[in-house]
Amino acid sequence: MDHSDATANPVAQLLVVTRSLVELTDRAMSDSELSRAAADVLVFAARQAARLVEDLVSVRSHDAMRARDFVQSTSSADLDRAYTDLECLAEAAGMIRAHGIGSQYRAHLAYLMRYAAESACTALERAERSMTRAEALSGMATTPATALHI
């Protein structure tokens, strides 16, 4: 996927960010510690990604024709899961930043944050597949029957 593909698809943008969060938390796990500077980056990036998820859900929910279908779809539940995971990640990183958690606890928090980042990625990947499938099916529904018979 190139840059233009990512900017055309908001879920693809979110996946780029959450995959970066996975890498950052993975490094924190391997270092057995998470610095305050890394925690600052995680808080900012995770909160921004959570806001992007909120914006995406808001846009999808305001489309009157597809709102009900979207709310009932698996992509809606997956986006909710991603939002929750991203907020969890931001809160955990915020604890390190605000309270100076001791190094023995930072390793545990790094592990939990990595799990949250991976979970958000998985949920976004499922949402992307579900949304792509739904858009393909809705495109087929609007195609005239004669165009399907080549």
Side-chain angles (χ1 to χ4, degrees):
M1 170 189 333
D2 65 10
H3 181 69
S4 62
D5 292 337
T7 57
N9 182 346
V11 178
Q13 289 175 331
L14 285 163
L15 278 167
V16 169
V17 172
T18 54
R19 287 178 180 140
S20 297
L21 291 171
V22 169
E23 287 181 34
L24 186 57
T25 55
D26 193 39
R27 280 192 208 129
M29 278 184 57
S30 65
D31 294 343
S32 298
E33 191 168 313
L34 185 66
S35 69
R36 285 187 181 200
D40 286 342
V41 170
L42 283 167
V43 168
F44 178 77
R47 287 236 163 90
Q48 289 300 317
R51 284 190 192 114
L52 287 172
V53 171
E54 277 184 318
D55 292 346
L56 178 60
V57 169
S58 178
V59 166
R60 293 270 176 169
S61 298
H62 283 86
D63 181 356
M65 295 194 51
R66 296 190 301 175
R68 194 189 90 199
D69 292 338
F70 174 67
V71 169
Q72 294 175 347
S73 73
T74 58
S75 61
S76 177
D78 289 329
L79 290 172
D80 285 344
R81 176 62 194 217
Y83 174 81
T84 302
D85 290 333
L86 290 165
E87 281 294 324
C88 176
L89 174 60
E91 287 298 316
M95 288 172 59
I96 292 171
R97 188 178 72 179
H99 304 294
I101 304 291
S103 61
Q104 72 274 22
Y105 299 113
R106 287 185 191 185
H108 295 293
L109 279 175
Y111 177 78
L112 292 172
M113 290 187 302
R114 183 170 189 266
Y115 175 81
E118 286 178 337
S119 179
C121 272
T122 301
L124 288 169
E125 288 166 350
R126 282 192 313 259
E128 183 178 44
R129 284 190 303 270
S130 177
M131 291 165 75
T132 300
R133 203 172 329 129
E135 288 173 6
L137 289 174
S138 70
M140 288 177 60
T142 59
T143 303
T146 55
L148 294 175
H149 297 90
I150 298 177

